[in-house]
Amino acid sequence: MSDILLLLISTVLVNNFVLAKFLGLCPFMGVSSRVETATGMAAATTFVLTMASLASYLINHFILQPLSLEYLQILSFILAIAVVVQFTEMVVQKSSPVLYRLLGIFLPLITTNCAVLGVALLNVNKNHGFVDSIVYGFGAALGFSLVLILFAAIRERIAVADVPAPFQGAAISLITAGLMSLAFMGFSGLVKA
Amino acid sequence: MNQLVSKSIATDAQYRIKGGIHPQEYKSLSNQQPIASIQEPPFYILPFSDLNKGSTTTNLEIAQPVEQGQILINSELANLSSVVHSPCDGVIADISEFDLGHPSGLEQPAIKIQAMPKSELERSAHADSLTDQIDYQSLTNEQLIKSVHQAGIVGLGGAGFPTHIKLSAPKDSIHTLIVNAMECEPYITCDDRLLREHPQSVLKGALIAAKTVSANRILFGIEDNKPEAIAALKTAIENYFDELTSTQESLEIKIIIAKTKYPSGGEKQIIELLTGQQVPKGQLPSSLGILVQNVATLEALNKAINQRQVMTKRLVTITGNLVGKPGNYWIPFGTPVSHIAEQLEVNLEQLACFIFGGPLMGTRHSNLEIPTKKSTNCIIFDSAYKTLEYPAKHQECIRCGECELACPMNLVPQQLYWFAKSQQWEALEEQQLFSCIDCAACSYVCPSEIPLVSYYQFAKSEIKDIKNKQIKSDLAKARFDNREKRLARIKAEREEKRRKAAEARQLAAANKTNDPDGKKSAIEAALQRVKAKKENKP
Amino acid sequence: MEILYATAIITLFAVVCGGLLGFASVKFKVEGNPIVEQINEILPQTQCGQCGHPGCKPYAEAIANGEAINRCPPGGEAGIKALAELLDLEIIELDDSCGEEAPARVAVIREAECIGCTKCIQACPVDAIVGAPKLMHTVITDECTGCDLCVPPCPVDCIDMPILQSALDSWKVPSPQVININEVTSEPPSKIKLEDAV
């Protein structure tokens, strides 16, 4: 139990996928202009990450490893991720057309989100078991969601503030992300990796 | 009903309100002198509608003579605008549009009366005071309310809401009458002086109001910076209890003294101070069984019922460092400010703008020709107020949070400001923008001198407009959809008819092909007849 | 041989996934285009046709298919802003060729001249005109959207289009950011002088 807890804290705070590993920056920048959109994206990514993590573990453990087809990992993982994302897209379009519209192109782009493929491959690298894989995927998603929503809240406030002209737009957002990353460095050493 | 003799009539308030500010009071400028009157102006300008609501009418024409107390402008019982009476004898000079100081700068319809003295003999029955007293106890509620409406009485605390509507609460729904004597805004002292000099009149008005709504408790709320007024009121109440006979019903009457703080005089604030209850969002004090009235309103109510005087004037505080003779004066409604300035020796050279009301919630004007209204409780001529509006360029919000500490309604003015600035209307409603009472305590404390209340008024105006437009468009959509359905239905019915007609034609055509001349069927019919005849014969 | 295995596995996997997705796409099929409804809610429903479409719903459908959001004069700036927020598009200026943003009007029939032909009743998209053949027609002011569609069909030209609200009733508190001491709207005819802004 404590192992799982440590794993969660490690992935959410210490080795945060966005701010420490710098994966998944594309949706991080693209979707975080409003908190509602960010929350929707966070929910979608959480679902995709957990499912993809699970699916890729199963594929790897039951098909690829027994048949010594490890070189097909990237191919099959992307296939699995694409299926999960397509499925998520359909669910979102049905349940909330507004969110579907707001997320726009970033919803199918979760497929190419390096964080998702990263989680799948890191699971293999670290030889995670069944439970650990799921927890790792879920923790990564949780960390991504936390940072995404925080960043969206900050960006909403920056949007109405008096930002100097050279800094307006993407510039101030990236600076803010950098500062957040510095802040999260404070967690390093909390959990022995 | 037992006779309740309150041993301790005056007590300190046991509740507090959150937030609030303590600005400099400037009361001594105008509360040292007794109430006085000024010479009548040469003309008066009376608006058709105090609150720009409800439709009012007049039967009068230009050049028609009018008498003091005569009804000029009629308003229905249910209207939010009040009946307006002539403050003088004179003649109607003009019925058209005048600049009345509306913030838009647009002119509004009003009646201008040229004052002309009339000899005593020509006064007729509807003059503004009669000699015979009437015992208000003998009047029914309907009669009382009708008299209050006919006397043109509105709330004199600043809002100007028709008093008769407030008094028309359903029977037994009100148990407490709160008399608002707080007068928390700086500079204003008219209620203070009124209580010092005419406390019995105020008390009588309170008794009439309490009787009308069947309240069993009267609470006078007053700030502790008015010790003379408190003493005068206390004496008046004690005398009232002394004069009560054992057969008369008596009420619980108390004076509750609150520590001086702005804005204790707000309706929601005084209720919380005196009873500890908060008026629920979007509801009126009547939902708590409470009715709040200003002291001046009750004094006018007393004059209307007990002396049959219609309301044509009120006490106005004329104050500020540029006034030669500051103090409280009986000013008839419709008096142009220029006349007051001249009579009370206002130094116009140094005047940049004057304020109707107090420095926090009042409105600033530059046109001296505008008239006083029923809601004008104070006019400030002071060199400290140099601009018509707050400075357009203010410094940025530094998110210090002082405004949140000052807000008496538990709102977050800082967030309201940011959302109003960026026009995020939904977020503003979530922040309860419409609970804001526009008291300007937040603007007062802001270190960047941001005119916060101006932003909120802008936002409220925009949101109301958007909501109205949405209601209209929803209605139009519903009617359009219904019309489409109706047309589709008519079309379907026509189709049905045509189909049936086509079928009938086809059937007839089919019959015709079998039997082109109808001969076959004729022969058939003949054969049937023969057969029948044969069967009938034995 | 191994390559064959690998290819077979991947192909099988792909087919299974395709099947799953196909099944899901049928189960989660979305009827119509719900975004059109949401766009229609924002449009002011005057059904005036100034956008070039025969009504607000057709224009909503056109917007859902990519048409510009700045073609509705009765919706005005506020409408364009709301549409831009809903669809995550940029706020653009109202298209001048479609008309100008003007204060709301209502139709008023000069009853003495009405001949009872019902042409205006048939033209009104919200059924705001009351009347019958050979009987007088009148407009229900509260229901009229000011779309102007009744004016052309009237053979005796007896319909006026006055502005609905006076300037005073439709006045809104201006944003504090535009108030300038030099822009006070009414010219004060008083004798006092104003100091310059502090």
Side-chain angles (χ1 to χ4, degrees):
Chain A
M1 192 58 216
S2 61
D3 286 337
I4 294 181
L5 201 60
L6 283 173
L7 186 60
L8 266 177
I9 293 178
S10 164
T11 31
V12 174
L13 295 173
V14 184
N15 295 316
N16 188 287
F17 265 69
V18 180
L19 296 180
K21 292 200 164 78
F22 303 116
L23 297 174
L25 285 175
C26 175
F28 181 68
M29 282 287 149
V31 177
S32 54
S33 47
R34 279 164 48 176
V35 177
E36 296 107 51
T37 335
T39 323
M41 182 57 146
T45 310
T46 308
F47 180 70
V48 168
L49 254 172
T50 320
M51 286 292 115
S53 196
L54 172 66
S56 44
Y57 172 81
L58 292 172
I59 293 170
N60 191 39
H61 190 82
F62 288 115
I63 302 177
L64 297 179
Q65 270 173 354
L67 297 173
S68 314
L69 292 170
E70 285 89 347
Y71 57 88
L72 287 179
Q73 266 165 1
I74 292 184
L75 193 53
S76 41
F77 287 173
I78 290 186
L79 196 52
I81 293 167
V83 171
V84 177
V85 170
Q86 275 297 305
F87 183 72
T88 311
E89 239 195 280
M90 279 184 229
V91 172
V92 170
Q93 187 177 22
K94 181 93 175 168
S95 58
S96 173
V98 182
L99 184 63
Y100 184 74
R101 261 279 154 166
L102 283 174
L103 291 176
I105 195 67
F106 287 102
L107 194 50
L109 274 180
I110 299 178
T111 318
T112 55
N113 187 347
C114 35
V116 186
L117 187 59
V119 164
L121 290 172
L122 280 167
N123 269 332
V124 172
N125 249 354
K126 297 183 185 225
N127 288 319
H128 277 158
F130 180 67
V131 176
D132 278 350
S133 289
I134 300 181
V135 172
Y136 194 65
F138 184 68
L142 214 57
F144 178 81
S145 310
L146 172 72
V147 176
L148 182 61
I149 293 174
L150 280 175
F151 190 54
I154 296 176
R155 275 188 82 181
E156 267 192 359
R157 284 200 162 190
I158 292 179
V160 297
D162 193 18
V163 180
F167 286 95
Q168 280 171 7
I172 195 71
S173 306
L174 284 167
I175 293 174
T176 312
L179 288 169
M180 280 178 79
S181 181
L182 274 174
F184 267 65
M185 272 193 188
F187 290 118
S188 64
L190 194 64
V191 169
K192 283 259 163 64
Chain B
M1 221 2 140
N2 293 329
Q3 190 154 342
L4 278 165
V5 182
S6 286
K7 293 273 184 249
S8 56
I9 295 176
T11 52
D12 288 329
Q14 53 177 144
Y15 304 102
R16 301 270 175 274
I17 53 167
K18 183 205 165 269
I21 51 176
H22 298 97
Q24 202 170 351
E25 291 174 25
Y26 297 111
K27 304 270 190 185
S28 55
L29 277 175
S30 55
N31 67 1
Q32 308 293 312
Q33 314 84 317
I35 297 172
S37 293
I38 59 170
Q39 199 181 56
E40 295 210 338
F43 63 88
Y44 296 86
I45 301 177
L46 293 148
F48 267 88
S49 175
D50 275 351
L51 298 176
N52 300 324
K53 286 183 183 147
S55 55
T56 49
T57 54
T58 184
N59 302 329
L60 303 168
E61 291 170 356
I62 298 183
Q64 199 170 336
V66 287
E67 290 183 4
Q68 188 173 22
Q70 180 177 350
I71 292 182
L72 292 178
I73 295 167
N74 296 310
S75 173
E76 298 291 307
L77 204 66
N79 259 357
L80 289 178
S81 291
S82 63
V83 175
V84 180
H85 307 267
S86 176
C88 69
D89 296 324
V91 83
I92 307 255
D94 200 1
I95 304 178
S96 76
E97 311 223 320
F98 296 87
D99 180 9
L100 301 178
H102 191 267
S104 66
L106 297 167
E107 294 184 335
Q108 295 168 269
I111 296 182
K112 181 171 176 182
I113 302 176
Q114 198 69 32
M116 276 179 200
K118 228 179 183 186
S119 72
E120 286 288 344
L121 295 165
E122 290 177 52
R123 264 182 200 278
S124 70
H126 51 233
D128 88 339
S129 70
L130 285 177
T131 48
D132 46 314
Q133 298 271 349
I134 286 191
D135 180 17
Y136 75 90
Q137 302 272 13
S138 63
L139 293 173
T140 64
N141 270 6
E142 283 75 30
Q143 286 170 318
L144 276 166
I145 288 170
K146 192 151 178 280
S147 300
V148 171
H149 168 249
Q150 284 296 302
I153 301 198
V154 300
L156 295 178
F161 192 78
T163 305
H164 71 275
I165 295 184
K166 263 187 163 172
L167 292 175
S168 303
K171 185 136 176 59
D172 294 331
S173 62
I174 306 281
H175 52 72
T176 302
L177 170 70
I178 291 183
V179 182
N180 193 343
M182 290 288 188
E183 205 164 51
C184 51
E185 208 165 350
Y187 286 98
I188 309 179
T189 56
C190 49
D191 291 346
D192 183 6
R193 290 293 336 176
L194 186 68
L195 272 174
R196 287 196 220 185
E197 297 182 36
H198 304 285
Q200 312 89 343
S201 189
V202 173
L203 179 59
K204 282 195 191 140
L207 291 168
I208 297 171
K211 186 234 177 211
T212 312
V213 298
S214 322
N216 52 29
R217 184 166 75 147
I218 301 180
L219 297 175
F220 285 84
I222 192 165
E223 281 187 335
D224 63 4
N225 59 0
K226 303 184 231 306
E228 302 93 343
I230 295 171
L233 191 57
K234 195 152 179 254
T235 313
I237 297 175
E238 279 164 359
N239 290 342
Y240 160 74
F241 278 127
D242 289 338
E243 285 163 20
L244 273 183
T245 64
S246 54
T247 51
Q248 276 176 301
E249 295 182 8
S250 87
L251 316 165
E252 184 188 338
I253 306 181
K254 274 187 137 61
I255 304 175
I256 300 187
I257 306 168
K259 282 217 166 6
T260 300
K261 185 159 78 164
Y262 176 83
S264 332
E267 195 176 56
K268 299 189 177 70
Q269 281 65 44
I270 194 175
I271 291 175
E272 198 177 347
L273 269 172
L274 266 50
T275 66
Q277 292 178 291
Q278 288 185 338
V279 180
K281 177 179 110 162
Q283 289 189 25
L284 296 169
S286 52
S287 65
L288 296 174
I290 297 175
L291 174 68
V292 181
Q293 293 283 8
N294 179 273
V295 286
T297 316
L298 293 174
E299 202 262 342
L301 183 73
N302 171 47
K303 287 202 290 235
I305 301 293
N306 281 331
Q307 294 159 39
R308 299 266 289 277
Q309 264 192 34
V310 298
M311 197 167 78
T312 55
K313 62 183 183 201
R314 66 162 296 166
L315 262 187
V316 181
T317 307
I318 315 292
T319 179
N321 66 359
L322 295 176
V323 185
K325 300 189 201 160
N328 288 287
Y329 297 89
W330 288 109
I331 308 274
F333 305 130
T335 305
V337 173
S338 57
H339 175 77
I340 299 174
E342 186 205 311
Q343 287 287 304
L344 300 178
E345 297 165 16
V346 172
N347 184 348
L348 291 177
E349 298 300 311
Q350 293 188 23
L351 185 71
C353 67
F354 62 91
I355 302 180
F356 267 175
L360 289 155
M361 286 187 78
T363 51
R364 300 187 183 199
H365 306 272
S366 59
N367 181 7
L368 285 169
E369 300 309 319
I370 62 178
T372 61
K373 298 204 198 70
K374 287 189 179 182
S375 53
T376 310
N377 54 358
C378 176
I379 309 180
I380 305 177
F381 299 93
D382 199 298
S383 55
Y385 304 105
K386 296 190 181 60
T387 57
L388 271 183
E389 304 292 347
Y390 273 105
K393 277 199 164 300
H394 51 78
Q395 291 184 302
E396 267 316 316
C397 171
I398 57 174
R399 295 198 180 266
C400 65
E402 286 294 315
C403 52
E404 197 271 328
L405 292 173
C407 179
M409 290 301 291
N410 242 336
L411 304 174
V412 187
Q414 191 191 98
Q415 284 302 93
L416 291 175
Y417 165 69
W418 283 106
F419 290 139
K421 203 165 139 206
S422 56
Q423 303 192 5
Q424 296 179 15
W425 311 128
E426 279 157 20
L428 277 169
E429 287 201 73
E430 279 172 33
Q431 292 282 331
Q432 313 301 336
L433 173 67
F434 285 95
S435 294
C436 168
I437 58 173
D438 287 350
C439 70
C442 51
S443 308
Y444 180 81
V445 298
C446 178
S448 301
E449 289 181 35
I450 303 174
L452 291 167
V453 174
S454 306
Y455 280 94
Y456 307 153
Q457 285 170 340
F458 157 66
K460 283 181 199 171
S461 168
E462 288 287 322
I463 292 176
K464 281 203 190 115
D465 187 50
I466 289 172
K467 283 202 167 134
N468 283 340
K469 288 208 173 106
Q470 188 64 37
I471 291 173
K472 258 209 134 208
S473 89
D474 286 343
L475 177 68
K477 182 162 187 289
R479 289 198 67 96
F480 178 68
D481 287 341
N482 276 340
R483 179 189 145 92
E484 295 290 293
K485 279 198 200 116
R486 177 174 66 90
L487 292 174
R489 182 173 44 90
I490 292 176
K491 195 165 171 212
E493 279 172 11
R494 241 183 256 149
E495 275 300 316
E496 189 63 23
K497 244 190 181 169
R498 203 180 316 161
R499 193 177 58 80
K500 284 217 168 98
E503 264 178 31
R505 254 183 287 125
Q506 270 190 354
L507 202 61
N511 281 349
K512 261 208 156 190
T513 49
N514 289 345
D515 184 11
D517 297 321
K519 275 197 183 151
K520 249 202 181 162
S521 47
I523 295 171
E524 280 269 340
L527 280 172
Q528 290 281 358
R529 279 197 299 270
V530 167
K531 207 171 169 190
K533 259 193 194 164
K534 269 198 184 155
E535 278 167 5
N536 279 343
K537 272 189 178 168
Chain C
M1 208 52 211
E2 228 184 75
I3 300 278
L4 270 173
Y5 264 145
T7 323
I9 300 267
I10 288 285
T11 318
L12 184 66
F13 189 31
V15 168
V16 168
C17 289
L20 266 170
L21 279 179
F23 170 70
S25 76
V26 167
K27 188 134 190 288
F28 288 106
K29 196 162 168 56
V30 176
E31 293 300 327
N33 197 348
I35 200 72
V36 171
E37 261 315 306
Q38 279 155 337
I39 296 174
N40 203 14
E41 291 282 311
I42 293 177
L43 294 176
Q45 303 300 317
T46 48
Q47 320 290 349
C48 60
Q50 285 183 63
C51 55
H53 296 270
C56 299
K57 190 76 179 283
Y59 182 41
E61 282 163 7
I63 292 179
N65 287 330
E67 178 144 343
I69 58 174
N70 64 344
R71 298 182 63 86
C72 179
E77 246 185 76
I80 294 176
K81 186 159 174 267
L83 284 171
E85 254 183 61
L86 175 71
L87 304 168
D88 211 22
L89 296 168
E90 273 197 27
I91 298 177
I92 40 181
E93 286 223 352
L94 184 64
D95 191 343
D96 279 336
S97 63
C98 300
E100 278 178 0
E101 193 172 355
R105 292 177 181 267
V106 281
V108 177
I109 294 177
R110 289 198 296 277
E111 292 169 3
E113 297 165 32
C114 173
I115 60 171
C117 68
T118 74
K119 291 225 172 76
C120 60
I121 296 180
Q122 290 163 43
C124 177
V126 291
D127 280 348
I129 305 184
V130 176
K134 304 251 178 66
L135 296 172
M136 195 191 67
H137 307 333
T138 191
V139 177
I140 307 173
T141 311
D142 286 341
E143 307 280 347
C144 173
T145 61
C147 69
D148 268 359
L149 287 175
C150 56
V151 179
C154 176
V156 293
D157 201 17
C158 69
I159 304 184
D160 289 324
M161 298 291 303
I163 295 181
L164 177 59
Q165 275 178 321
S166 68
L168 199 67
D169 287 332
S170 58
W171 180 78
K172 292 191 289 189
V173 179
S175 164
Q177 290 162 311
V178 302
I179 293 175
N180 195 311
I181 207 74
N182 300 316
E183 284 176 3
V184 172
T185 43
S186 67
E187 262 304 325
S190 67
K191 306 164 208 132
I192 61 178
K193 289 186 279 265
L194 285 173
E195 282 233 18
D196 290 329
V198 173

